[in-house]
Amino acid sequence: MDLLGERWLPPVHLRRFVSSMPSQLSALRGWIKRDPSHLSNLSELILSSVKDVQQDDVEIIGGLLCLRRLFIITSTDQTQRLLVIRADGFRCTVDFRLDCGSATQILFEPGALPRAVRVWFSLGVRVTKEDGNRGFDLGLQGNLFSLREFVSVYMYCGGARVGEAKEAEAAVRRALEAHPSHPRIYIQMRPHIAKGAHDDDLCEDEEEN
């Protein structure tokens, strides 16, 4: 996205955009805002690495009416601590992946992702606890009713206590197990909690996000 620059406009028939190198969503935000009609056919947006995802980015991308697949695989320098997936966005999205590492909690409004059947998202345990969400309520229970296949949660534990990480995992798992469609549940602890670790032990940060 940096190479394309702010002045780039996509072709009007663009259906799929894939970037496999570090990207800045500021550039993406520019060409979407300038003329969204150029993206009226975009159904797949895959960005392997972005520097920072802001709430504005989520809402702008969520407004793309034909978007069926969104993959933001890594956010390397995340600054926004809370991202909300609102009910009025991502109305056609079937595959939703947003991994913002350890610095952010992602919350789902009631009615969010109404057509998503596969969802990947991240949870920063320490940030979530520090910002007052002590019950780790992410809006999963009684929500995401089209979720049929699986949900995968990347749970970043660095800087949190082992007991807090286990508490977060249990809360997320309870909410997902109550889902009426019973999707497959995958929770990946990053870093992995060693067998025999005490609840008061500190989870160490991973070297890479």
Side-chain angles (χ1 to χ4, degrees), residues 76-136:
T76 59
D77 297 290
Q78 187 67 23
T79 60
Q80 181 134 15
R81 294 169 67 96
L82 173 65
L83 293 175
V84 180
I85 310 304
R86 303 199 187 282
D88 58 355
F90 302 102
R91 304 301 295 173
C92 292
T93 303
V94 174
D95 293 315
F96 177 89
R97 177 169 177 169
L98 180 58
D99 185 350
C100 292
S102 62
T104 300
Q105 61 171 316
I106 297 173
L107 301 182
F108 299 89
E109 274 190 351
L113 302 178
R115 297 187 181 181
V117 298
R118 292 170 291 270
V119 173
W120 301 253
F121 71 96
S122 58
L123 170 64
V125 174
R126 179 181 56 81
V127 165
T128 302
K129 194 88 170 181
E130 286 178 353
D131 289 356
N133 189 354
R134 298 185 179 279
F136 299 98

Side-chain angles (χ1 to χ4, degrees), residues 37-116:
S37 66
H38 280 260
L39 297 170
S40 59
N41 293 301
L42 186 68
S43 64
E44 188 169 337
L45 178 61
I46 299 175
L47 302 172
S48 64
S49 179
V50 301
K51 292 184 178 179
D52 189 16
V53 180
Q54 296 291 306
Q55 185 67 39
D56 283 350
D57 301 319
V58 173
E59 294 183 10
I60 291 166
I61 297 170
L64 301 177
L65 298 180
C66 290
L67 190 67
R68 290 179 58 82
R69 299 186 73 208
L70 172 69
F71 280 26
I72 296 179
I73 298 172
T74 303
S75 172
T76 59
D77 297 290
Q78 187 67 23
T79 60
Q80 181 134 15
R81 294 169 67 96
L82 173 65
L83 293 175
V84 180
I85 310 304
R86 303 199 187 282
D88 58 355
F90 302 102
R91 304 301 295 173
C92 292
T93 303
V94 174
D95 293 315
F96 177 89
R97 177 169 177 169
L98 180 58
D99 185 350
C100 292
S102 62
T104 300
Q105 61 171 316
I106 297 173
L107 301 182
F108 299 89
E109 274 190 351
L113 302 178
R115 297 187 181 181

